[in-house]
């Protein structure tokens, strides 16, 4: 097993464990609604394209980016897709813990609990968009 698979799991599990201590009630004022969730999703997706689009022109970035992989170093900033791939899975882990906590508590469901999951989905969609829009920069599929 690659050391980077272990490192990624440790980072994800640490973030998920931290979510065990997060408050179980909405914090946003006014409360987050469906439109805000859609804006978060769009912001993450478009944000990935904008941020990685700038990195594509960065001379310090790798000549060709590796597709996101659990076996790759997420802290190699010459390969920025790896870092954001890890970030998406950290958000996903936090979101799953939060939703599980809600299921097993007496707290009623609130939309703000979906924010980490929506962010994760937005980042993953954004990474796919980057792979399409900057296919000359991203390694081809094997």
């Amino acid at each position: 097993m690659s050391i980077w698979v272990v490192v990624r799991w440790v980072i994800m599990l640490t973030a998920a464990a931290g979510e065990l201590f997060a408050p179980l009630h909405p914090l946003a004022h006014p409360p987050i609604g469906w439109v805000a969730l859609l804006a978060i999703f769009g912001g993450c997706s478009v944000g990935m394209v904008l941020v990685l689009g700038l990195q594509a022109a960065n001379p310090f970035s790798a000549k060709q980016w590796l597709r996101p992989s659990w076996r790759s170093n997420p802290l190699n900033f010459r390969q920025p897709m790896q870092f954001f791939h890890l970030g998406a899975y950290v958000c996903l882990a936090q979101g799953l813990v939060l939703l599980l906590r809600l299921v097993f508590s007496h707290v009623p469901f609130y939309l703000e609990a979906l924010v980490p999951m929506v962010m994760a989905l937005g980042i993953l969609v954004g990474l796919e968009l980057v792979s399409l829009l900057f296919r000359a920069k991203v390694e081809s599929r094997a």
Side-chain angles (χ1 to χ4, degrees):
M1 178 182 296
S2 167
I3 185 71
W4 295 114
V5 172
V6 174
V7 167
R8 285 174 184 253
W9 273 104
V10 167
I11 292 171
M12 281 177 35
L13 291 174
T14 302
E19 194 63 36
L20 292 171
F21 303 103
L24 262 187
H25 56 81
L27 298 173
H29 296 288
I32 288 181
W34 290 106
V35 172
L37 285 177
L38 185 60
I40 291 168
F41 172 79
C44 287
S45 299
V46 172
M48 280 294 93
V49 173
L50 294 176
V51 168
L52 292 177
L54 290 173
Q55 286 302 311
N58 182 348
F60 297 110
S61 176
K63 187 172 185 168
Q64 186 161 42
W65 292 339
L66 302 174
R67 289 195 174 274
S69 167
W70 282 75
R71 297 185 188 290
S72 296
N73 177 357
L75 304 176
N76 177 357
F77 297 116
R78 296 194 67 211
Q79 296 286 338
M81 290 180 74
Q82 304 303 324
F83 178 77
F84 290 109
H85 182 255
L86 171 62
Y89 279 94
V90 166
C91 289
L92 187 63
Q94 289 177 314
L96 287 174
V97 168
L98 180 56
L99 291 177
L100 282 172
R101 284 184 62 204
L102 275 175
V103 166
F104 292 108
S105 75
H106 298 292
V107 176
F109 177 78
Y110 54 97
L111 284 179
E112 190 174 324
L114 295 176
V115 168
M117 303 290 277
V118 169
M119 288 174 60
L121 185 61
I123 293 168
L124 291 172
V125 167
L127 288 172
E128 284 301 314
L129 289 172
V130 166
S131 295
L132 291 171
L133 295 172
F134 301 102
R135 58 182 155 270
K137 183 78 172 172
V138 179
E139 73 175 344
S140 59
R141 296 200 189 268

